[in-house]
Amino acid sequence: MKNLFLVLLILIGINAAYSQSKNPDEILKRVTETFEMIKDYEVDVLINVNVKFLKMPDRKAKIFYKQPDKIFVESEGFALLPKQGLNFSPLTFLQTAHTALIDRVEELNRINTTVIKVIPIGNKSDIILSTLWIDESRNLIMKIESSTKPDGSIVIEFQYSKIDDNFYLPSTIVFTFDVDKVYFPTGITGEMNSESEKKDKKNDIAKQGKVTITYSNYKVNQGLSDELFKKESPN
């Protein structure tokens, strides 16, 4: 038993030393630089909403993106997710002033990741704290847990596909959030499932909702025109 305890202490010490030897800012810089290789893209998405009190069919949309922050969405009247939710960019978390520190190394879905805490500086961001799981072998964010001022906590999980043998882009993104913290616009094309579930929402019973976005048919670095992004996205 003493030998087992000693081995555990050694392993913990190795893990801590390994974490401290890493530079979080350098890791985040590589993530950003990898993403910045993608100048623009268009992609088809399928959106599945799993919220207990909403009855909503899957929705299709097409997303056009251009660096650094241009986005145009063609959709079928889908208004639940903001544009930033349909188009995830690591720049969203890293372009504002922040402090970063290594928390630990951890295996996530059989992938070795470095876990980094990102704390925004100042009052410009609604995000209070983000935890990022980063695959350093590909410079990709695999998971994010964020605490925000208006919307409570949100977890974002990623799966990727390699596009054109050069770029990794999401094949699936899953958002998990606190339903009682989210504002649902009137007439979002969803319907309440039952009177009892309407009552649950009215009473602010905490629930978790989930939105799954599946991406397909990427076209990357096609030289999208700026004129496209001057259009108003249809609702």
Side-chain angles (χ1 to χ4, degrees), residues 16-83:
Y18 179 63
S19 297
Q20 291 171 5
S21 67
K22 293 172 173 282
N23 184 322
D25 294 316
E26 287 297 324
I27 295 171
L28 296 177
K29 181 181 178 181
R30 288 194 293 270
V31 169
T32 300
E33 290 174 344
T34 297
F35 181 77
E36 286 177 339
M37 294 172 61
I38 301 165
K39 304 304 180 184
D40 62 56
Y41 66 75
E42 64 176 271
V43 64
D44 296 323
V45 298
L46 181 66
I47 306 162
N48 172 267
V49 179
N50 185 359
V51 177
K52 182 179 178 183
F53 57 82
L54 288 178
K55 184 180 180 181
M56 183 178 293
D58 291 355
R59 295 287 174 178
K60 293 181 179 180
K62 183 181 286 287
I63 299 172
F64 299 85
Y65 171 82
K66 186 173 183 178
Q67 290 277 13
D69 57 5
K70 294 184 176 70
I71 179 170
F72 177 73
V73 181
E74 292 180 350
S75 63
E76 299 176 346
F78 186 80
L80 178 57
L81 279 181
K83 291 180 181 179

Side-chain angles (χ1 to χ4, degrees), residues 103-123:
D103 185 57
R104 62 189 183 276
V105 292
E106 182 176 303
E107 184 175 299
L108 178 68
N109 298 326
R110 299 183 179 180
I111 296 174
N112 292 323
T113 65
T114 301
V115 183
I116 297 178
K117 301 283 188 182
V118 177
I119 306 169
I121 299 174
N123 299 317

Side-chain angles (χ1 to χ4, degrees), residues 52-54 192-205 207:
K52 182 179 178 183
F53 57 82
L54 288 178
M192 295 295 185
N193 286 335
S194 68
E195 289 300 320
S196 63
E197 287 166 353
K198 289 182 184 179
K199 184 177 179 180
D200 283 349
K201 185 173 186 291
K202 185 176 180 181
N203 292 336
D204 288 331
I205 296 176
K207 307 179 186 72

Side-chain angles (χ1 to χ4, degrees), residues 91-98 118-130 146-150:
L91 302 181
T92 304
F93 289 82
L94 306 179
Q95 66 185 354
T96 57
H98 60 267
V118 177
I119 306 169
I121 299 174
N123 299 317
K124 293 183 179 181
S125 176
D126 288 335
I127 299 172
I128 301 170
L129 169 68
S130 291
S146 285
S147 298
T148 68
K149 295 174 185 176

